[in-house]
Amino acid sequence: MQPAHPLDAVTHPDPYPYYAALASARPLYRDAALDLWVASHPDTITAVLRHPAARVRPAAEPVPRGLCPGPAGELFGRFVRMNDGALHARLKDLLAAFIREQGLQPSPPAWPRAAPLDAACVDRYLAAAPVHAQAALLGLPSAVHADCAADISAFLSALPAAAGADRVAAGHAAAERLQGRLESHLAGPRASPALRRLGSDAEQAGIAPALLAANLAGLLFQSCEAGAGLLGNALILAGRRGVPAALTPEGAQALIDDVVRHDPPLHNTRRFLAGPIDIGGQRIEAGQTVLLVLAAAAVIQPDAGWTFGAQRHACPGGDAARRHAAGALAHLLRAGVDAAALAARFRFRPLPNARVPQFDFSEDNTP
Ligand code: HEM
C-alpha cells in the first residue's frame, strides 16, 4: 500500500515510488488534511529555502512552548539551526569552518559498548554512536562521551509537544549539564587548536562564550537522530547484501553513501512563513507552514545530498556524519552483529522527519 501522505512516507517500507510521483505530479500543493503546504521537487524546495520570508521557526514560537521557561528552552533558542538573520549567518560560518578544520584531525571515537549484541543493544548503539563520534570531534574526553549521548537523548525526549512533565524536567537537567560541560571544555586546557581558534574568532565577532558553547552542544544534538538513521539504514542494507564482518573502510564508506543516495535518514524539514510568498504561480500566505520533502527531491537528484538540506541552513556536518557512520558501522560489524537477522525484522520509529529503524519491539506495540 502507498503512503497516505508525505508524513506517513517517512516510516513506510518503500516510499520512493510515491516520492517520485509526488515530485513530478504535485511539486507544490496544499494538503488540507495535514494543514501544510508540501514542496517536493528540487525546484520548489529550492525556491522556498531561498525565500527570505521562509523561517526555521514560527514567529510566534521561536522556542517550543513546552520547554519554556528553563535551560532546555534556553539551549534550543541558542541553536544556529533554530535562528535566522545576522546572528545565524555569523555563527554558521564560524561553526562550518571549525567542523572543516577539526575534521582534518583524526579523532577516533570511543564507540559505545556493542554487547551483548541483541536488538536492544543495537538500538542503543545507533543513537549513541553518532554522539560519541561528534564528542570525539569536539575533543571531549572519552569518559564523558556516554554522558553526552544520555543527555542528548533526554533533551530529544523533551522536545515533542506531548512530552510529559517528567520528560521535560529530565530535558532541562540534561540541557543544563550539556551547557556547563561545553562551556568548561571551551575554556579548558583540552580545547584543540581549532576549538581555541573558534573561541577567539567568536569573541571577535561579539558572540558570547555561552552562546558558542550552546552551539557546540548543538553539534551533538544535530548529529544524533539523523546519524542514528544513517547508521541503522546502512546496517539493514549491509544485512540485505550479506556484507562480510571484515568490511574495509572504503567498503563501509561506499555503503553509507548508497544509503545517503537511495534510503536517506532525514526525509523532510519545515519552513514557517513570516510573509506571503509566490512560487510557481501559487501564492502561500504568511503564517502557513511548508513541508519540504527532501527525500522526494533526492529521488530526482540522488547525488545532490538532499538529505543534508540546502541553501542558508544547509548542514555543515554532512562529511563528518558520513565518515562517522562508516566508522560506527565497521565497528559494529567487526563486533559480530548479525546484520542479516536484524534486516529481517525491524520497524521504523514513529518520528515525523527522520527514518530511524528500531530492532527491539514487540509486535502488539507496533504503531
Ligand atoms: C546523517 C546525519 C545528518 C543529516 C541527515 C543532517 C541533515 C541536516 C539537515 C537537513 C539540515 C538542515 C535543516 C533545515 O534546513 O531545516 C541540517 C542542519 C544542520 N546540521 Fe546536520 N545532519 C546530519 C548530521 C550532522 C552532524 C554530524 C553535524 C555536526 C557536525 C550537523 C550539524 C548541523 C548544523 C549545525 C545544522 C544547522 C545549520 C544551519 O541552520 O545553518 N549535522 N542537518
Side-chain angles (χ1 to χ4, degrees):
M1 206 169 58
Q2 277 217 40
H5 53 70
L7 294 180
D8 188 36
V10 178
T11 53
H12 188 275
D14 180 16
Y16 302 106
Y18 164 81
Y19 280 145
L22 188 68
S24 60
R26 307 174 84 189
L28 180 67
Y29 75 99
R30 180 166 159 71
D31 192 313
L34 297 177
D35 190 20
L36 289 170
W37 279 81
V38 179
S40 56
H41 188 279
D43 296 345
T44 52
I45 294 176
T46 303
V48 174
L49 285 173
R50 276 199 182 136
H51 203 288
R55 308 286 165 80
V56 287
R57 290 291 306 164
E61 199 181 351
V63 175
R65 263 186 263 289
L67 299 183
C68 300
E74 259 172 61
L75 185 64
F76 184 100
R78 285 171 160 162
F79 289 161
V80 68
R81 162 75 184 80
M82 306 302 171
N83 284 278
D84 287 294
L87 181 71
H88 162 263
R90 249 184 306 157
L91 259 170
K92 172 74 175 284
D93 286 350
L94 292 174
L95 288 170
F98 165 71
I99 293 168
R100 262 195 315 274
E101 184 181 350
Q102 190 67 54
L104 301 174
Q105 314 295 324
S107 48
W111 294 116
R113 228 164 72 84
L117 275 184
D118 55 16
C121 170
V122 173
D123 284 340
R124 282 194 300 274
Y125 183 91
L126 296 187
V131 184
H132 279 234
Q134 193 57 39
L137 189 139
L138 288 170
L140 284 159
S142 53
V144 302
H145 292 187
D147 294 340
C148 288
D151 286 340
I152 290 296
S153 159
F155 178 71
L156 277 166
S157 299
L159 296 185
D166 49 344
R167 282 195 173 192
V168 173
H172 283 310
E176 200 160 11
R177 284 190 296 272
L178 286 163
Q179 178 75 35
R181 196 175 293 138
L182 272 308
E183 276 185 35
S184 319
H185 180 53
L186 191 55
R190 291 187 55 130
S192 68
L195 194 57
R196 282 174 201 281
R197 195 154 28 254
L198 173 64
S200 64
D201 288 351
E203 200 182 322
Q204 276 184 14
I207 293 164
L211 177 58
L212 181 60
N215 275 283
L216 298 178
L219 299 184
L220 300 175
F221 162 71
Q222 289 293 141
S223 66
C224 182
E225 235 169 39
L230 181 53
L231 178 55
N233 295 328
L235 189 57
I236 291 168
L237 186 61
R240 288 181 177 154
R241 287 189 182 168
V243 307
L247 188 61
T248 61
E250 298 74 31
Q253 197 61 70
L255 201 112
I256 293 296
D257 289 345
D258 275 353
V259 174
V260 167
R261 264 184 229 108
H262 301 299
D263 193 16
L266 209 105
H267 278 209
N268 65 63
T269 188
R270 291 172 196 232
R271 287 298 183 266
F272 305 90
L273 301 194
I277 69 179
D278 290 296
I279 286 174
Q282 303 195 72
R283 185 179 184 81
I284 313 180
E285 297 298 340
Q288 297 283 302
T289 303
V290 189
L291 185 78
L292 306 173
V293 189
L294 303 172
V299 175
I300 310 232
Q301 297 174 340
D303 292 318
W306 275 106
T307 199
F308 295 109
Q311 305 297 324
R312 291 194 297 283
H313 283 274
C315 180
D319 287 346
R322 290 173 41 253
R323 242 185 2 254
H324 294 162
L329 176 68
H331 179 76
L332 199 54
L333 291 172
R334 262 199 317 274
V337 76
D338 186 348
L342 291 169
R345 184 183 179 278
F346 68 92
R347 69 177 188 187
F348 290 105
R349 290 188 184 279
L351 298 169
N353 57 5
R355 183 169 174 85
V356 184
Q358 181 181 16
F359 299 104
D360 180 36
F361 60 94
S362 54
E363 304 294 346
D364 52 0
N365 206 11
T366 302

